[in-house]
Amino acid sequence: MRVILFILGLLFSADGLYFASTTSMGVGEAFTVAIGIMFILWSTFYDAFKTKGFLKFIKCLFTFGMIVLVIYSGIICVVGKSDNATYREDYIIVLGAGLKGDTPSLALERRLEKAAEYMNKNGNAIAIVSGGQGKGETISEAQAMENYLLNHGIREDRIIKEDNSTSTYENFEYSKLIMDEGQAVFVTNEFHVLRSELMAKINGIDATHIGASTPIPLLPVSCVREFIAQIAAVRYYF
């Protein structure tokens, strides 16, 4: 058991540190590293966590949190795989993700692949690429997304940039201001679909969705980040 805990600690820590180096040390990356450190401490001081009152309480609390995280991660991944796009939508909203300078992250690249695929199948759809400029990014996410789509054969007159948003809620809030009457579909990674669907409805957008796959090494950080983001998003639901 101690070996398993130690390996889990190394995996979580390495995953969080690696993706922090590719973009920046965000909340998801920091919490992933913290989870890794907790697993390593539990492994190192296994007997103390088993017998001492306060440490035993911390272990139980941590275990409960990990069980909830695993269950939530399973739910969001299942929901994210249930695409319901009709390919007759008027708009496709591409939700932003991190950049490394001006290069799309792995998660964003998967979203853009799906967006380009959709636009090739639905020649009438207009893409709204939504995302502002974050820390460590030399251009806005919207600009990087437009560059990608242009480089993959999508005409410039089929792309509208929304480069002010800094959150999923704002992605939909500002995209709605751009849209005329019509149906929309949004594309994001599978782990992000559930919360995005809720944010769309809160902003009065009854959209279909397409879930892009998530690179396996990115899943731990993504699920941790999404879990925290869903807790923070509770304020929008009331």
Side-chain angles (χ1 to χ4, degrees), residues 128-132 140-143 145 160-167 170-175 178:
I128 300 175
V129 288
S130 179
S140 70
E141 293 167 9
Q143 183 63 62
M145 289 189 278
I160 301 175
K161 285 186 298 184
E162 183 290 293
D163 56 6
N164 293 309
S165 56
T166 59
S167 67
E170 290 182 354
N171 285 149
F172 289 107
E173 180 183 25
Y174 298 153
S175 293
I178 295 171

Side-chain angles (χ1 to χ4, degrees), residues 13-217:
S13 299
D15 202 54
L17 290 172
Y18 172 75
F19 285 103
S21 70
T22 62
T23 53
S24 62
M25 179 61 81
V27 174
E29 289 79 6
F31 268 86
T32 304
V33 172
I35 289 172
I37 292 172
M38 180 60 196
F39 272 124
I40 291 172
L41 289 174
W42 185 358
S43 170
T44 304
F45 303 103
Y46 185 79
D47 292 334
F49 274 98
K50 190 174 182 179
T51 58
K52 295 189 179 296
F54 178 70
L55 291 180
K56 189 175 182 180
F57 170 75
I58 294 297
K59 179 191 73 174
C60 291
L61 192 63
F62 176 73
T63 301
F64 175 76
M66 290 303 300
I67 291 171
V68 173
L69 173 61
V70 170
I71 293 172
Y72 179 75
S73 298
I75 292 171
I76 61 177
C77 287
V78 169
V79 170
K81 289 182 179 297
S82 58
D83 294 353
N84 60 0
T86 65
Y87 291 86
R88 296 187 300 273
E89 291 86 359
D90 303 287
Y91 297 95
I92 175 169
I93 302 171
V94 190
L95 303 181
L99 307 176
K100 180 65 173 179
D102 61 358
T103 304
S105 61
L106 289 173
L108 183 54
E109 187 173 353
R110 295 289 176 89
R111 301 180 192 190
L112 290 165
E113 288 172 359
K114 283 288 186 180
E117 179 183 307
Y118 175 93
M119 296 187 76
N120 286 326
K121 291 181 179 179
N122 180 0
N124 296 318
I126 299 296
I128 300 175
V129 288
S130 179
Q133 184 173 344
K135 183 179 178 182
E137 299 174 349
T138 57
I139 59 175
S140 70
E141 293 167 9
Q143 183 63 62
M145 289 189 278
E146 181 185 48
N147 293 344
Y148 180 98
L149 293 178
L150 290 173
N151 290 333
H152 286 76
I154 306 301
R155 300 194 315 270
E156 186 175 3
D157 63 351
R158 296 184 63 198
I159 306 170
I160 301 175
K161 285 186 298 184
E162 183 290 293
D163 56 6
N164 293 309
S165 56
T166 59
S167 67
T168 303
Y169 179 88
E170 290 182 354
N171 285 149
F172 289 107
E173 180 183 25
Y174 298 153
S175 293
K176 187 179 181 183
L177 298 176
I178 295 171
M179 294 167 54
D180 294 323
E181 293 296 322
Q183 181 64 30
V185 59
F186 68 83
V187 59
T188 188
N189 297 98
E190 292 164 350
F191 67 84
H192 190 222
V193 167
L194 177 60
R195 183 164 59 92
S196 298
E197 194 165 41
L198 294 171
M199 293 295 103
K201 289 180 179 178
I202 289 171
N203 279 286
I205 302 175
D206 187 16
T208 54
H209 64 261
I210 298 172
S213 63
T214 305
I216 291 176

